[in-house]
Structure formats: structure tokens, C-alpha cells
Amino acid sequence: MGLFSNEKKVDYDKIVDKMLPDAKKEMDESQYDTELGLNMARDARKVISGKLKIEDFHKVYSSSLTKEFGNYYASGDGPDIRKGDGPKWAMVIDLKKCVGCDTCTVSCKAENRTPPGISYNVVMESLEGEFPNIKAVNLPRPCMQCDKPACAQVCPTRATYKMENGIVAIDNDRCIGCRYCIVACPYGARSFDFGESYEQEMQGANDVTSPEYGVERGNREKGKTPIGTVRKCSFCFHRLQRGEEPACVETCIGDARFFGDLNDPNSVVSKLAASPRAFRLKEELGTHPNVIYLR
Amino acid sequence: MANLAVDLKEKSTSKSKINVTLSKSFKIWISALTIAFLIGGYFIVERFFTGLAATNLSSITPWGAWIAFYIFFVGLSAGSFLLSTLIYVFGMEEYERVGKAALFTAIVCMIVALTFVLMDLGRPERMLNAIIYWNVTSPLAWEVHFYLVYIGLLTVELYIAMREDLVRAAKTNSLKGFVAKLITFKNATINAATKKRDHMWMKILGTVGIPLAILGVHGGTGTIFAVVKARPAWHTALFPIIFVVSAMVSGTALLLAMYIIKKKVQKQPIDQGMVVSLAKLMVGFLIIDLGLQFYEYLIGWYGLETEHLDTLATMMASEKAWSFWIVQMLMGAVIPITIVFWKKTSQNVNALLAAAVLIVIGIIGVRFNIVVPPLVVPVFHELPWGNYAPTIKEWMVSVGVVAMGLLIYSFGELLLPIEETSDEVSHNGK
């Protein structure tokens, strides 16, 4: 078969080529310059195959791109997050839709591989009133990702800090494990990693870990970071980097959770945050949470 | 000069006599401490391998016995230092007998306090991060810096307080003389000019040390708790002040107890006048402390904040309320106040010793009641409540750390002229 394989490959390529849209026809339909698009596509292939340097590519097309796209063309940089141009992540939880099934808690544990005793998300359940006038309240509680986080204020080493995208992060390689942040958090959203493991109940539990804040740490081993440090919900930062929603938002059975960019006035969370039903937990403390509830 | 030489001879002979009488009880004391330190040391080493899983702490109650002991020893240190300033800055010479011991106690207590913090860190090997990556909005980071400056200041002050004795001792042939030779300059002398200079520096260092000890070290330690708005029972402006006042109570009580016990063991005469007056001072501080605590609880209760009420209920009306009513109130306040004011016991040195020891134990209860109850009550009523009592391992580590402190103190007293010399005794007895 080896002898004939070459011929076959050409056939497959042809099939693929037939499937592709005609570049010239597509570009003619758009409002932008056809010639420029075709040339850029050709040179982009050269960049991918290593025949052309990316810097030269930018040099060649920079002036014509500015001419064609004007203000929309940025010279290689993404949005300047230091100017607050980037997203500010926020979550809205509709308490009327929450049924208290704890799927968020379970999916969070599965996603973030949290050890025994640590749950980044919990659902606080309570009954209000006297029977028969009784009402059940389910209050899911992830980390509030406060704008003025009490935890970051008291951390002696600046190991916990506010990221530009609104997430309160922990540098587990710097944390000394003094637990002052746990004491100072008004929402009980932080946990200390005492080093416990599910290895007893599940073989290989230590081999699967989750890349918190984008850091892949490999197997969970005794004495290895993050053991001995403080941990908390990161709005599933590793999933956001892949363009996915946090696990709790994705798995919520009643679609009670919404996630998005609070800096974008057209986002769902921005609109819901402006609803008269919106409130935040312990607002009087001035921490200004980015988890917003709808009563 | 000739007189001085005679003096020195007398002193060296009397000192060697003291050493002889000391040696047996001292040996027993040191071996008991060493055993305690070795047993505790085993658990300290074990703790470094197992991590904080050795404790009963949880994410609901993240601070426990070691933090309580840490603030207890910071309090003892600040209290005994402030007592020493009464002598060296405000000229209350009637307490001069305990002056240098007060300074040395302050240093050793700080070492013990910082060791407790080290035990309590989840990542002890990263402790220097608090200095390298200093977060200026964190009271804890400020405290680490204050503690180091404070220990430095205390060490310099103690050295100057001992300088004359060191220079004298350097000329003798005893163990103290040998150490004194190591830490004094060859041409160090005592004359009117150096006396004046030393006195001036004692006053300057003591004066700088007062705000450092009150605002920096102990008020600051109270601030660590007071800034935490998540825990209403800590979040009051009175809290750092209560810390300072209770530090004065425990510091005075500790020095009084140590002075009496030491004199009894050495079979030396006890200055009853000083003991009675120091006991009055101690109870005076205690009554101020109780008054402040009364307002603290009253206003917290009156505020009707759920978490605050829950905290007060946990402290005063739960199954662990014995620590408040029996240790803090009965042992730490009612009995000692009665002893000091009751005619039959107010002049009795043994009774006053008991009062001082009870107060020191009572303040341990105070420290536990500060740390634990606000951390048993969760930040939301629906979250699980904490249930904390120290494990055997936590207690054994604590025993080891305290034994280490006592060993440092005992050897310090053996090697350095910390006890008052006969010169001072005659000066006081005039």
C-alpha cells in the first residue's frame, strides 16, 4: 500500500480543495479590498511554513492595513488592559432560578480538583419563616472577586492580589500560609490546603490536577505547592483563557448563573446588574463584590 | 579605686557562693526544661513534616492555640518592657530590682512569640516573604517589621543596662566574667562620664521604645485583629487598647511571679515592700482592663448584630464557656483582686505570688477567648460552625516552644549579669 499512498493523498487534497470556498469570490462579496486579502492570505501561509518572518509580514502590510481599516486596525497589540480596556469578569446569580441542586458545587470540585475540605463554591440553604408560611432560600456562594478585597488588603506578602480582569488571584508560590486572608474574608470564600487527598477513595486521585491561574503544577504530592497555602475560586481562570465559561455557570441546571464582561454595557451581566432585583452580599462592608444576585 | 577593688573581691566571692548554692536546684531546673524541650522538639519536628494537618484547625477556624500563645507572649514582652521603662525612663527606682530582668524577659518573650508564629505558618520556609514582599496595607506585615526593630532596640538597651556590671564582671574569674570579656571592649571603664552617658542612652532608648511597644508592637498586634471587619467582635477601636492594657497586666504579673520564685529558690531575702507595691500596680492595670472589657461586651451586645451576639454567646454561654468564666474571670480577675485587697493576704508574699501566677494563667484564657470564639462563628449563619480544641500535638509543640524560651532565659541569667548586683541592693536599701 505504501507505494500507492502518495497518489491517494493527492486525491484527498483535491477533495478538500473542492470543499473550500473560492477566496476571490468571497473577498469580492466583502466591502474590503480583494487584492489585499488574497496577498495577505498567501503571505500568512509563508509565515506559518517559516519562509517569512512575522515582523516582515507586519512591515509589508502595516500601511495598507491602516489605509483599509483605519482606526479598527491596531498594530499588533491587544486591548491595553492597564487602561481598563479589557474585560472585567462578573457573575450574576438568579436566586429565583436556583433550585439548590448543588450541581455548581460538584462541577466546581470536579473542574478544579479540589481536595477534601475545600469547596470553592457552596450553596447555603436555609428555611425562613414559620410553618406553613415558609420559604426556602438557596444562596450559591463562589468567591465574590471583590473590587476592594479585604483578603488582598491584609495579605502580608502581596501573594493575593487583584488582576486587571477583576479576578482576585493567589500566587501560591509566594503564600506563606498565615491564613490572615481566611480570617479577613467576609464571605468565607477561602480555604487552607491542609494536604488531604481523595487518594484513599479513588486510585490516581493525585495524578489529575487543574491549572489554577493558568499554572500547571502536575501531580499533587506531599509538601508540594499548593499544599500549605490558601486556595479559592478563580472564576475558572484556566477555562476563561480557553474562551469557556466557569464550570458552575456551564453546568447550572436551571441556567441561574450568567457570566460576562461588566465593562461591556451590552453584555447580559451588565444589563442584569442594573436590574432592580440586583443586590450584592454584605454590601455595607464596602468590598464591592463582582458576584451579583437577583432576588 | 582601692575601694572598688575591695568591692569587686567581695562580689566575686559572694558570687561564687551563690553559684554553689544555685547549682543543685539550677541543675534540676535545667534538666527538667531540657526533657520538656526534647519531648516538645519531637512534635515540632513532626509538625514540620506533617504540616498543619497536625492541628485541629480548619478553614472555618483557621487560627487557634499557637496564635493565642503568640499574642500572649507578645503581650508579656510589651508588658515587661513597659514596666522597665517605669524604672529607666520615669525613675521609679523602687522597682529597680526587676529592671534588667524585665528587659531580658521582654526579649525572650518576643523570641518565643515569633517561634509560635513560625509554627503556625503553612509554609514556614517562606517566612521571609513577609519582609521581601512587604504589603504596606497589611498590619501583619507591619508587625513583623516592628517586632524585629523592637528586638534590636531591647537588645541594645539591655546591653547598656548591663554595661557597668559587665565591665566589673570582666575583671573576675568566673563564668560570667568570661562571657563579659567576650562582649565588652578591652578599654571599657566605669567613671562619672560613662555613667552619665549610659543613663542618657537608657532614657533615649526607653523613650523611643515606649511608642514602639505601645503603638507598634502590642497595639499593632491588636490592630491585626481590629481591622478585620468580617469579625464584628474584633472590629472595634477599643480592641488595640485592651491589648496594651492586658499586656501591662500580664507583664507585671509575670515579673512579680518570677522575682518571688527566684528569690525563694535562691533563699535570698525578698523585698516585701516592692512586692506589695508591684502587686497593687498589677491589680490596678487589671481593673482598668476589666472596665474596658465590660464596655466592649456591653456595646457589642447592645448592637444586636447577629454574628456579634453569636460570638458573645459562644464565649460566655457555650460548652466552652469555662474558659471565660473560670479561667479568664475567676482565676484571672476575681481571686487575684481579692488576694491583693483582702487585709489578711495583702501583705503575704506567698499569697501575692499565687495572685500573680493566677493572673498570668488568666491572661492565657483571655488570649484564647480573643482568638477562638470569633472564629467558631462562621461568616454566614448557614455555613458550618467551627469546633476547635487544640490537639495533643498542638499542646506538645507549645510545651516545647515555651521550654525553649525558659532555657534561653535560664542560660541568659547564668551567663549574663541580669540579676541585680549587691551594689544595687545597698543602693536600694539606703
Side-chain angles (χ1 to χ4, degrees), chain B residues 364-420:
Chain B
I364 297 180
V366 172
R367 298 314 184 204
F368 269 83
N369 290 334
I370 282 173
V371 174
V372 179
L375 294 175
V376 165
V377 179
V379 285
F380 288 103
H381 212 271
E382 293 78 22
L383 290 175
W385 283 50
N387 181 19
Y388 173 80
T391 56
I392 303 285
K393 286 178 184 176
E394 282 177 89
W395 285 120
M396 293 315 290
V397 167
S398 307
V399 166
V401 175
V402 175
M404 178 198 79
L406 288 172
L407 274 176
I408 295 175
Y409 188 87
S410 307
F411 279 112
E413 236 180 33
L414 183 71
L415 301 175
L416 298 168
I418 281 160
E419 285 176 80
E420 78 286 3

Short mmCIF file of all heavy atoms in Angstrom, two decimals, chain B residues 364-420:
data_model
loop_
_atom_site.label_atom_id
_atom_site.label_comp_id
_atom_site.label_asym_id
_atom_site.label_seq_id
_atom_site.Cartn_x
_atom_site.Cartn_y
_atom_site.Cartn_z
N ILE B 364 -3.74 33.94 79.71
CA ILE B 364 -3.74 32.90 78.65
C ILE B 364 -5.18 32.65 78.22
O ILE B 364 -5.50 32.58 77.03
CB ILE B 364 -3.08 31.60 79.14
CG1 ILE B 364 -1.61 31.83 79.47
CG2 ILE B 364 -3.19 30.50 78.06
CD1 ILE B 364 -0.88 30.60 79.96
N GLY B 365 -6.08 32.54 79.22
CA GLY B 365 -7.50 32.36 78.90
C GLY B 365 -8.04 33.52 78.08
O GLY B 365 -8.76 33.33 77.10
N VAL B 366 -7.63 34.75 78.46
CA VAL B 366 -8.07 35.94 77.71
C VAL B 366 -7.66 35.80 76.25
O VAL B 366 -8.44 36.06 75.33
CB VAL B 366 -7.46 37.22 78.32
CG1 VAL B 366 -7.74 38.42 77.44
CG2 VAL B 366 -7.99 37.45 79.72
N ARG B 367 -6.42 35.38 76.02
CA ARG B 367 -5.90 35.28 74.65
C ARG B 367 -6.66 34.22 73.84
O ARG B 367 -6.97 34.43 72.68
CB ARG B 367 -4.40 34.95 74.66
CG ARG B 367 -3.52 35.99 75.32
CD ARG B 367 -3.86 37.38 74.88
NE ARG B 367 -2.95 38.39 75.43
CZ ARG B 367 -3.27 39.65 75.59
NH1 ARG B 367 -4.47 40.09 75.30
NH2 ARG B 367 -2.39 40.51 76.07
N PHE B 368 -6.94 33.08 74.48
CA PHE B 368 -7.72 32.05 73.78
C PHE B 368 -9.11 32.59 73.45
O PHE B 368 -9.64 32.35 72.37
CB PHE B 368 -7.82 30.78 74.62
CG PHE B 368 -6.71 29.80 74.34
CD1 PHE B 368 -5.49 29.93 74.96
CD2 PHE B 368 -6.90 28.76 73.44
CE1 PHE B 368 -4.46 29.05 74.69
CE2 PHE B 368 -5.87 27.87 73.16
CZ PHE B 368 -4.64 28.01 73.79
N ASN B 369 -9.72 33.32 74.41
CA ASN B 369 -11.07 33.82 74.18
C ASN B 369 -11.10 34.93 73.14
O ASN B 369 -12.14 35.19 72.53
CB ASN B 369 -11.68 34.33 75.49
CG ASN B 369 -11.96 33.19 76.43
OD1 ASN B 369 -12.18 32.06 75.99
ND2 ASN B 369 -11.92 33.46 77.72
N ILE B 370 -9.96 35.57 72.92
CA ILE B 370 -9.89 36.56 71.84
C ILE B 370 -9.86 35.84 70.50
O ILE B 370 -10.57 36.20 69.57
CB ILE B 370 -8.63 37.45 72.01
CG1 ILE B 370 -8.87 38.50 73.09
CG2 ILE B 370 -8.27 38.12 70.68
CD1 ILE B 370 -7.63 39.30 73.43
N VAL B 371 -9.02 34.81 70.40
CA VAL B 371 -8.77 34.20 69.09
C VAL B 371 -9.91 33.25 68.68
O VAL B 371 -10.41 33.34 67.55
CB VAL B 371 -7.42 33.44 69.09
CG1 VAL B 371 -7.23 32.69 67.79
CG2 VAL B 371 -6.27 34.41 69.30
N VAL B 372 -10.32 32.37 69.59
CA VAL B 372 -11.15 31.25 69.14
C VAL B 372 -12.64 31.59 68.92
O VAL B 372 -13.14 31.35 67.81
CB VAL B 372 -10.96 30.03 70.07
CG1 VAL B 372 -11.85 28.88 69.63
CG2 VAL B 372 -9.51 29.58 70.06
N PRO B 373 -13.37 32.16 69.91
CA PRO B 373 -14.83 32.32 69.69
C PRO B 373 -15.21 33.07 68.41
O PRO B 373 -16.10 32.62 67.70
CB PRO B 373 -15.31 33.05 70.95
CG PRO B 373 -14.30 32.75 71.97
CD PRO B 373 -12.99 32.62 71.25
N PRO B 374 -14.54 34.19 68.05
CA PRO B 374 -14.94 34.86 66.80
C PRO B 374 -14.69 34.00 65.57
O PRO B 374 -15.26 34.26 64.51
CB PRO B 374 -14.07 36.11 66.77
CG PRO B 374 -13.66 36.34 68.17
CD PRO B 374 -13.53 34.97 68.77
N LEU B 375 -13.82 32.99 65.68
CA LEU B 375 -13.55 32.13 64.54
C LEU B 375 -14.35 30.83 64.58
O LEU B 375 -14.30 30.04 63.65
CB LEU B 375 -12.05 31.80 64.47
CG LEU B 375 -11.14 33.00 64.19
CD1 LEU B 375 -9.68 32.59 64.25
CD2 LEU B 375 -11.44 33.62 62.85
N VAL B 376 -15.09 30.62 65.68
CA VAL B 376 -16.00 29.47 65.72
C VAL B 376 -17.29 29.85 64.99
O VAL B 376 -17.87 29.05 64.26
CB VAL B 376 -16.30 29.06 67.18
CG1 VAL B 376 -17.49 28.13 67.25
CG2 VAL B 376 -15.07 28.39 67.78
N VAL B 377 -17.70 31.10 65.15
CA VAL B 377 -18.90 31.58 64.48
C VAL B 377 -18.56 31.83 63.01
O VAL B 377 -17.65 32.60 62.71
CB VAL B 377 -19.38 32.90 65.13
CG1 VAL B 377 -20.62 33.42 64.43
CG2 VAL B 377 -19.65 32.68 66.60
N PRO B 378 -19.28 31.17 62.07
CA PRO B 378 -18.95 31.36 60.65
C PRO B 378 -19.43 32.71 60.14
O PRO B 378 -20.28 33.35 60.76
CB PRO B 378 -19.69 30.22 59.96
CG PRO B 378 -20.85 29.94 60.85
CD PRO B 378 -20.40 30.23 62.25
N VAL B 379 -18.90 33.13 58.99
CA VAL B 379 -19.26 34.45 58.46
C VAL B 379 -20.69 34.50 57.92
O VAL B 379 -21.26 35.57 57.77
CB VAL B 379 -18.26 34.94 57.40
CG1 VAL B 379 -16.96 35.38 58.05
CG2 VAL B 379 -18.00 33.88 56.36
N PHE B 380 -21.24 33.33 57.56
CA PHE B 380 -22.66 33.24 57.24
C PHE B 380 -23.26 32.18 58.17
O PHE B 380 -22.65 31.14 58.39
CB PHE B 380 -22.90 32.80 55.79
CG PHE B 380 -22.58 33.86 54.78
CD1 PHE B 380 -21.42 33.80 54.05
CD2 PHE B 380 -23.45 34.92 54.57
CE1 PHE B 380 -21.12 34.77 53.12
CE2 PHE B 380 -23.15 35.90 53.63
CZ PHE B 380 -21.98 35.82 52.91
N HIS B 381 -24.47 32.46 58.67
CA HIS B 381 -25.07 31.55 59.62
C HIS B 381 -25.24 30.14 59.05
O HIS B 381 -25.21 29.15 59.76
CB HIS B 381 -26.43 32.10 60.06
CG HIS B 381 -26.77 31.75 61.46
ND1 HIS B 381 -27.42 30.59 61.79
CD2 HIS B 381 -26.50 32.38 62.63
CE1 HIS B 381 -27.57 30.54 63.11
NE2 HIS B 381 -27.01 31.61 63.63
N GLU B 382 -25.41 30.05 57.70
CA GLU B 382 -25.69 28.75 57.08
C GLU B 382 -24.43 27.91 56.89
O GLU B 382 -24.51 26.71 56.64
CB GLU B 382 -26.35 28.95 55.71
CG GLU B 382 -27.74 29.55 55.78
CD GLU B 382 -27.72 31.05 56.01
OE1 GLU B 382 -26.69 31.68 55.70
OE2 GLU B 382 -28.72 31.59 56.53
N LEU B 383 -23.26 28.54 56.98
CA LEU B 383 -22.02 27.77 56.82
C LEU B 383 -21.78 26.94 58.07
O LEU B 383 -22.31 27.26 59.15
CB LEU B 383 -20.84 28.72 56.59
CG LEU B 383 -20.82 29.44 55.23
CD1 LEU B 383 -19.67 30.43 55.19
CD2 LEU B 383 -20.69 28.45 54.10
N PRO B 384 -21.00 25.86 57.96
CA PRO B 384 -20.76 25.04 59.15
C PRO B 384 -20.04 25.83 60.25
O PRO B 384 -19.19 26.67 59.95
CB PRO B 384 -19.88 23.91 58.62
CG PRO B 384 -19.38 24.37 57.31
CD PRO B 384 -20.37 25.32 56.76
N TRP B 385 -20.40 25.55 61.50
CA TRP B 385 -19.76 26.22 62.63
C TRP B 385 -18.46 25.50 62.98
O TRP B 385 -18.36 24.29 62.81
CB TRP B 385 -20.70 26.24 63.84
CG TRP B 385 -21.78 27.27 63.71
CD1 TRP B 385 -22.59 27.44 62.62
CD2 TRP B 385 -22.15 28.26 64.65
NE1 TRP B 385 -23.44 28.49 62.84
CE2 TRP B 385 -23.20 29.01 64.08
CE3 TRP B 385 -21.70 28.60 65.93
CZ2 TRP B 385 -23.80 30.08 64.75
CZ3 TRP B 385 -22.30 29.65 66.59
CH2 TRP B 385 -23.33 30.39 66.00
N GLY B 386 -17.53 26.27 63.47
CA GLY B 386 -16.26 25.67 63.87
C GLY B 386 -16.40 24.94 65.19
O GLY B 386 -17.30 25.20 65.99
N ASN B 387 -15.52 23.99 65.42
CA ASN B 387 -15.48 23.29 66.70
C ASN B 387 -14.02 23.02 66.99
O ASN B 387 -13.47 22.01 66.57
CB ASN B 387 -16.28 21.99 66.63
CG ASN B 387 -16.27 21.26 67.95
OD1 ASN B 387 -15.99 21.87 69.00
ND2 ASN B 387 -16.52 19.97 67.92
N TYR B 388 -13.39 23.96 67.68
CA TYR B 388 -11.95 23.86 67.82
C TYR B 388 -11.52 23.63 69.25
O TYR B 388 -11.98 24.30 70.17
CB TYR B 388 -11.27 25.14 67.31
CG TYR B 388 -9.79 25.17 67.58
CD1 TYR B 388 -8.92 24.48 66.75
CD2 TYR B 388 -9.26 25.86 68.65
CE1 TYR B 388 -7.56 24.48 67.00
CE2 TYR B 388 -7.91 25.88 68.90
CZ TYR B 388 -7.06 25.18 68.07
OH TYR B 388 -5.72 25.19 68.31
N ALA B 389 -10.66 22.63 69.44
CA ALA B 389 -9.92 22.46 70.68
C ALA B 389 -8.54 21.97 70.26
O ALA B 389 -8.45 21.15 69.34
CB ALA B 389 -10.60 21.45 71.59
N PRO B 390 -7.47 22.48 70.86
CA PRO B 390 -6.14 22.08 70.40
C PRO B 390 -5.92 20.57 70.53
O PRO B 390 -6.42 19.94 71.46
CB PRO B 390 -5.21 22.85 71.35
CG PRO B 390 -6.03 23.94 71.92
CD PRO B 390 -7.42 23.45 71.96
N THR B 391 -5.17 20.00 69.59
CA THR B 391 -4.82 18.58 69.69
C THR B 391 -3.67 18.41 70.68
O THR B 391 -3.02 19.39 71.08
CB THR B 391 -4.34 18.04 68.34
OG1 THR B 391 -3.25 18.86 67.89
CG2 THR B 391 -5.43 18.07 67.29
N ILE B 392 -3.42 17.15 71.07
CA ILE B 392 -2.26 16.85 71.93
C ILE B 392 -0.98 17.38 71.27
O ILE B 392 -0.12 17.96 71.92
CB ILE B 392 -2.13 15.32 72.13
CG1 ILE B 392 -3.42 14.74 72.72
CG2 ILE B 392 -0.94 14.99 73.01
CD1 ILE B 392 -3.62 15.03 74.17
N LYS B 393 -0.90 17.19 69.95
CA LYS B 393 0.30 17.64 69.24
C LYS B 393 0.49 19.15 69.37
O LYS B 393 1.60 19.63 69.58
CB LYS B 393 0.21 17.25 67.76
CG LYS B 393 0.42 15.77 67.54
CD LYS B 393 0.26 15.43 66.07
CE LYS B 393 0.37 13.92 65.87
NZ LYS B 393 0.13 13.54 64.47
N GLU B 394 -0.64 19.88 69.25
CA GLU B 394 -0.52 21.33 69.39
C GLU B 394 -0.02 21.71 70.79
O GLU B 394 0.81 22.59 70.94
CB GLU B 394 -1.89 22.00 69.14
CG GLU B 394 -2.24 22.13 67.67
CD GLU B 394 -3.62 22.74 67.48
OE1 GLU B 394 -3.72 23.96 67.39
OE2 GLU B 394 -4.59 21.97 67.42
N TRP B 395 -0.56 21.03 71.79
CA TRP B 395 -0.11 21.31 73.17
C TRP B 395 1.37 20.97 73.33
O TRP B 395 2.13 21.73 73.95
CB TRP B 395 -0.93 20.51 74.20
CG TRP B 395 -2.31 21.04 74.42
CD1 TRP B 395 -3.47 20.38 74.21
CD2 TRP B 395 -2.68 22.34 74.91
NE1 TRP B 395 -4.54 21.18 74.52
CE2 TRP B 395 -4.10 22.39 74.95
CE3 TRP B 395 -1.96 23.47 75.30
CZ2 TRP B 395 -4.80 23.52 75.37
CZ3 TRP B 395 -2.66 24.59 75.73
CH2 TRP B 395 -4.07 24.61 75.75
N MET B 396 1.79 19.82 72.78
CA MET B 396 3.18 19.40 72.97
C MET B 396 4.14 20.35 72.27
O MET B 396 5.20 20.67 72.79
CB MET B 396 3.38 17.96 72.46
CG MET B 396 2.64 16.90 73.26
SD MET B 396 2.79 17.08 75.04
CE MET B 396 4.50 16.67 75.23
N VAL B 397 3.77 20.81 71.07
CA VAL B 397 4.60 21.80 70.38
C VAL B 397 4.70 23.05 71.25
O VAL B 397 5.79 23.62 71.42
CB VAL B 397 4.01 22.13 68.99
CG1 VAL B 397 4.66 23.37 68.40
CG2 VAL B 397 4.19 20.96 68.05
N SER B 398 3.55 23.45 71.84
CA SER B 398 3.56 24.65 72.69
C SER B 398 4.49 24.45 73.88
O SER B 398 5.26 25.36 74.24
CB SER B 398 2.14 24.97 73.17
OG SER B 398 1.26 25.04 72.08
N VAL B 399 4.41 23.26 74.50
CA VAL B 399 5.31 22.96 75.64
C VAL B 399 6.76 23.10 75.19
O VAL B 399 7.59 23.72 75.87
CB VAL B 399 5.02 21.54 76.18
CG1 VAL B 399 6.14 21.09 77.11
CG2 VAL B 399 3.69 21.51 76.90
N GLY B 400 7.07 22.55 74.03
CA GLY B 400 8.44 22.61 73.51
C GLY B 400 8.92 24.04 73.31
O GLY B 400 10.03 24.40 73.70
N VAL B 401 8.05 24.87 72.72
CA VAL B 401 8.45 26.26 72.43
C VAL B 401 8.64 27.04 73.73
O VAL B 401 9.61 27.78 73.88
CB VAL B 401 7.40 26.94 71.52
CG1 VAL B 401 7.75 28.40 71.31
CG2 VAL B 401 7.33 26.24 70.17
N VAL B 402 7.72 26.82 74.70
CA VAL B 402 7.85 27.54 75.98
C VAL B 402 9.11 27.07 76.71
O VAL B 402 9.85 27.88 77.27
CB VAL B 402 6.59 27.34 76.84
CG1 VAL B 402 6.78 27.97 78.21
CG2 VAL B 402 5.38 27.96 76.16
N ALA B 403 9.37 25.75 76.68
CA ALA B 403 10.58 25.22 77.33
C ALA B 403 11.83 25.83 76.70
O ALA B 403 12.79 26.17 77.40
CB ALA B 403 10.62 23.70 77.22
N MET B 404 11.79 26.01 75.38
CA MET B 404 12.92 26.65 74.70
C MET B 404 13.14 28.06 75.24
O MET B 404 14.26 28.45 75.56
CB MET B 404 12.62 26.71 73.19
CG MET B 404 13.69 27.40 72.38
SD MET B 404 13.08 27.91 70.75
CE MET B 404 12.19 29.41 71.17
N GLY B 405 12.03 28.80 75.40
CA GLY B 405 12.14 30.16 75.94
C GLY B 405 12.72 30.17 77.34
O GLY B 405 13.61 30.96 77.66
N LEU B 406 12.23 29.24 78.19
CA LEU B 406 12.73 29.20 79.57
C LEU B 406 14.21 28.80 79.61
O LEU B 406 14.97 29.29 80.44
CB LEU B 406 11.90 28.22 80.40
CG LEU B 406 10.48 28.71 80.72
CD1 LEU B 406 9.67 27.59 81.35
CD2 LEU B 406 10.54 29.91 81.66
N LEU B 407 14.62 27.90 78.70
CA LEU B 407 16.04 27.52 78.63
C LEU B 407 16.88 28.73 78.25
O LEU B 407 17.93 28.98 78.87
CB LEU B 407 16.23 26.42 77.59
CG LEU B 407 16.01 24.98 78.06
CD1 LEU B 407 16.16 24.02 76.89
CD2 LEU B 407 17.00 24.62 79.16
N ILE B 408 16.43 29.48 77.24
CA ILE B 408 17.18 30.67 76.84
C ILE B 408 17.29 31.62 78.02
O ILE B 408 18.36 32.15 78.33
CB ILE B 408 16.49 31.38 75.64
CG1 ILE B 408 16.51 30.49 74.41
CG2 ILE B 408 17.19 32.71 75.32
CD1 ILE B 408 15.75 31.06 73.22
N TYR B 409 16.17 31.80 78.74
CA TYR B 409 16.18 32.72 79.88
C TYR B 409 17.15 32.24 80.96
O TYR B 409 17.95 33.00 81.49
CB TYR B 409 14.77 32.89 80.47
CG TYR B 409 14.74 33.98 81.51
CD1 TYR B 409 14.52 35.29 81.13
CD2 TYR B 409 14.98 33.70 82.84
CE1 TYR B 409 14.54 36.31 82.06
CE2 TYR B 409 15.01 34.71 83.78
CZ TYR B 409 14.78 36.01 83.38
OH TYR B 409 14.82 37.02 84.31
N SER B 410 17.09 30.94 81.28
CA SER B 410 17.92 30.42 82.37
C SER B 410 19.40 30.54 82.03
O SER B 410 20.22 30.93 82.87
CB SER B 410 17.58 28.95 82.63
OG SER B 410 16.20 28.83 82.83
N PHE B 411 19.75 30.18 80.79
CA PHE B 411 21.16 30.29 80.42
C PHE B 411 21.58 31.75 80.36
O PHE B 411 22.71 32.08 80.72
CB PHE B 411 21.42 29.59 79.09
CG PHE B 411 21.60 28.11 79.26
CD1 PHE B 411 20.67 27.21 78.76
CD2 PHE B 411 22.69 27.61 79.96
CE1 PHE B 411 20.82 25.85 78.95
CE2 PHE B 411 22.86 26.25 80.15
CZ PHE B 411 21.91 25.35 79.64
N GLY B 412 20.68 32.62 79.92
CA GLY B 412 20.99 34.04 79.91
C GLY B 412 21.31 34.52 81.31
O GLY B 412 22.29 35.25 81.53
N GLU B 413 20.52 34.08 82.27
CA GLU B 413 20.77 34.52 83.63
C GLU B 413 22.04 33.93 84.19
O GLU B 413 22.71 34.52 85.03
CB GLU B 413 19.57 34.17 84.52
CG GLU B 413 19.10 35.42 85.16
CD GLU B 413 17.93 35.28 86.06
OE1 GLU B 413 17.79 34.24 86.72
OE2 GLU B 413 17.17 36.25 86.11
N LEU B 414 22.39 32.73 83.73
CA LEU B 414 23.62 32.10 84.19
C LEU B 414 24.84 32.84 83.65
O LEU B 414 25.84 33.01 84.34
CB LEU B 414 23.63 30.64 83.71
CG LEU B 414 24.81 29.79 84.15
CD1 LEU B 414 24.71 29.50 85.63
CD2 LEU B 414 24.87 28.51 83.37
N LEU B 415 24.76 33.29 82.40
CA LEU B 415 25.93 33.83 81.72
C LEU B 415 26.03 35.34 81.78
O LEU B 415 27.10 35.91 81.61
CB LEU B 415 25.93 33.39 80.25
CG LEU B 415 25.94 31.88 80.01
CD1 LEU B 415 25.81 31.58 78.54
CD2 LEU B 415 27.20 31.25 80.58
N LEU B 416 24.91 36.04 81.99
CA LEU B 416 24.93 37.49 81.95
C LEU B 416 24.56 38.06 83.32
O LEU B 416 23.81 37.45 84.06
CB LEU B 416 23.93 38.01 80.90
CG LEU B 416 24.19 37.60 79.45
CD1 LEU B 416 22.98 37.91 78.60
CD2 LEU B 416 25.42 38.31 78.91
N PRO B 417 25.07 39.23 83.62
CA PRO B 417 24.73 39.85 84.92
C PRO B 417 23.34 40.47 84.89
O PRO B 417 23.20 41.69 84.90
CB PRO B 417 25.83 40.89 85.10
CG PRO B 417 26.27 41.23 83.72
CD PRO B 417 26.05 40.02 82.87
N ILE B 418 22.32 39.63 84.82
CA ILE B 418 20.96 40.13 84.72
C ILE B 418 20.37 40.41 86.09
O ILE B 418 19.63 41.37 86.30
CB ILE B 418 20.10 39.15 83.91
CG1 ILE B 418 20.39 39.34 82.43
CG2 ILE B 418 18.60 39.38 84.17
CD1 ILE B 418 20.02 38.21 81.58
N GLU B 419 20.73 39.55 87.06
CA GLU B 419 20.23 39.80 88.41
C GLU B 419 20.91 41.05 88.96
O GLU B 419 22.04 41.36 88.58
CB GLU B 419 20.58 38.61 89.30
CG GLU B 419 19.70 37.44 89.04
CD GLU B 419 20.17 36.26 89.88
OE1 GLU B 419 19.82 36.24 91.07
OE2 GLU B 419 20.89 35.43 89.34
N GLU B 420 20.22 41.71 89.85
CA GLU B 420 20.81 42.92 90.42
C GLU B 420 22.07 42.55 91.22
O GLU B 420 22.16 41.46 91.78
CB GLU B 420 19.79 43.63 91.31
CG GLU B 420 19.60 43.04 92.67
CD GLU B 420 18.80 41.74 92.62
OE1 GLU B 420 18.43 41.26 91.53
OE2 GLU B 420 18.56 41.21 93.70
#
